[in-house]
Amino acid sequence: MPHAPFIIASFAVTGVCMTWLVVSSYLSMRRAEASAAELKDRP
Amino acid sequence: MHRFANPARFLRIARPLTPALFWLGLILTLAACIWGLFFTPTERLMGDTVKIIFVHVPAAWLGMGGWTGIAIASIVQLVWRHPLAGVSARAIAVPGATFAAICLITGSIWGRPTWGTWWVWDGRLTSMLVLFFLYLGYIALSNASSNKGDTSRVAAVFGIIGAINIPIINRSVIWWESQHQKASITLGGSSIDSAYLAPLFVAVAGFSLLFGALVLMRMRAALAEMRIEARMRRMAEG
């Protein structure tokens, strides 16, 4: 049984999950902090 | 600890710390993956599938470490009423659940060529699956029962009770007959060859720093949402 597909699949799953986690966390942080800053400046 | 109870003081530290942890974690993780994939020898029994260790073990460590963090933060929330404890517990939940899922998926992929099966209902695999479901339960409970950002006392109690599963996962390969191998790294030493051990430690360090950056990002988002909610309430009142 060739091992390469199993290794590639493991690293791909990890890469996709990590990318989703980083992008979603970063975007939610940026959006929330921008909204909070905008609201703070409003009289 | 109460020095950091003030969210403004916490944010002063978290803002520069977030990119520092992220970039250092990313560099170490990529270096460890390249080192592990291309510069480690083929193992005598498992062949090249041993290279899955460089994502599977850090994911397992952070899946379990994440819940330990939730349990500690929950105790701090209930006992000392630290205002950031609930926020941090909730911020850990989604990254922790994702790492538990990565551990289960990569373990299953590793199991097929080495054990001849994708899954067995033995102590280690089942208790890790239980941890993943505990994460899902905690996320649902904290989303349902709390204000934005913070988490409720019910979720905190759930976080503490769920921690009983952590030593069960750790001891499962000793207590029950298991397809999974016994612990390779203990306080007494390691049975892993140094050719694999060095990149594995770099991978664990890299993924841990990334985990820290993710938790800080989610805490900052939660604190900003709490500020928005407080501001909206004040605006609505007058």
Side-chain angles (χ1 to χ4, degrees):
Chain A
M1 186 183 285
H3 289 167
F6 296 98
I7 300 164
I8 293 165
S10 295
F11 279 79
V13 164
T14 307
V16 168
C17 289
M18 287 302 295
T19 306
W20 168 77
L21 206 49
V22 168
V23 171
S24 64
S25 303
Y26 179 75
L27 288 181
S28 67
M29 177 191 77
R30 286 299 299 267
R31 272 195 216 111
E33 289 190 338
S35 304
E38 188 192 303
L39 214 58
K40 194 181 171 188
D41 295 338
R42 209 181 284 178
Chain B
M1 191 164 56
H2 280 280
R3 278 182 60 219
F4 302 105
N6 182 342
R9 184 175 291 164
F10 166 79
L11 285 172
R12 272 203 300 278
I13 298 164
R15 281 193 184 114
L17 196 59
T18 310
L21 289 182
F22 175 76
W23 289 112
L24 188 59
L26 188 67
I27 290 165
L28 286 179
T29 301
L30 290 176
C33 288
I34 292 166
W35 185 358
L37 272 175
F38 302 109
F39 301 101
T40 53
T42 301
E43 208 268 337
R44 186 172 54 91
L45 296 172
M46 285 187 277
D48 280 329
T49 58
V50 73
K51 295 171 194 294
I52 297 172
I53 199 174
F54 303 113
V55 289
H56 177 72
V57 169
W61 149 250
L62 288 167
M64 292 165 66
W67 195 280
T68 308
I70 287 177
I72 292 168
S74 300
I75 291 169
V76 172
Q77 181 192 347
L78 293 177
V79 176
W80 290 286
R81 300 183 188 283
H82 193 295
L84 290 175
V87 176
S88 63
R90 199 168 172 186
I92 291 169
V94 172
T98 309
F99 277 105
I102 292 171
C103 171
L104 287 166
I105 296 167
T106 55
S108 177
I109 293 169
W110 200 356
R112 183 68 186 87
T114 48
W115 302 339
T117 179
W118 297 101
W119 186 264
V120 282
W121 290 101
D122 77 356
R124 173 56 66 87
L125 278 71
T126 308
S127 56
M128 198 65 203
L129 184 64
V130 168
L131 178 68
F132 176 67
F133 288 134
L134 283 172
Y135 270 118
L136 296 187
Y138 181 86
I139 292 165
L141 200 57
S142 57
N143 284 347
S145 63
S146 67
N147 297 323
K148 273 183 183 275
D150 205 352
T151 193
S152 70
R153 291 167 67 95
V154 179
V157 170
F158 184 77
I160 296 166
I161 292 170
I164 201 161
N165 191 42
I166 300 301
I168 293 174
I169 297 172
N170 184 264
R171 308 309 289 174
S172 57
V173 287
I174 296 164
W175 290 343
W176 301 293
E177 273 299 313
S178 179
Q179 192 87 328
H180 196 283
Q181 67 185 63
K182 300 272 185 287
S184 305
I185 302 169
T186 61
L187 290 174
S190 165
S191 59
I192 300 177
D193 189 275
S194 61
Y196 305 108
L197 197 60
L200 180 60
F201 273 130
V202 178
V204 168
F207 276 107
S208 301
L209 292 175
L210 280 178
F211 189 89
L214 288 164
V215 171
L216 286 182
M217 283 181 205
R218 301 181 85 87
M219 285 181 77
R220 285 172 59 181
L223 289 172
E225 282 170 6
M226 288 163 80
R227 284 202 303 276
I228 293 169
E229 202 173 74
R231 177 80 171 156
M232 297 290 262
R233 209 178 302 125
R234 277 201 303 275
M235 284 165 76
E237 283 167 0

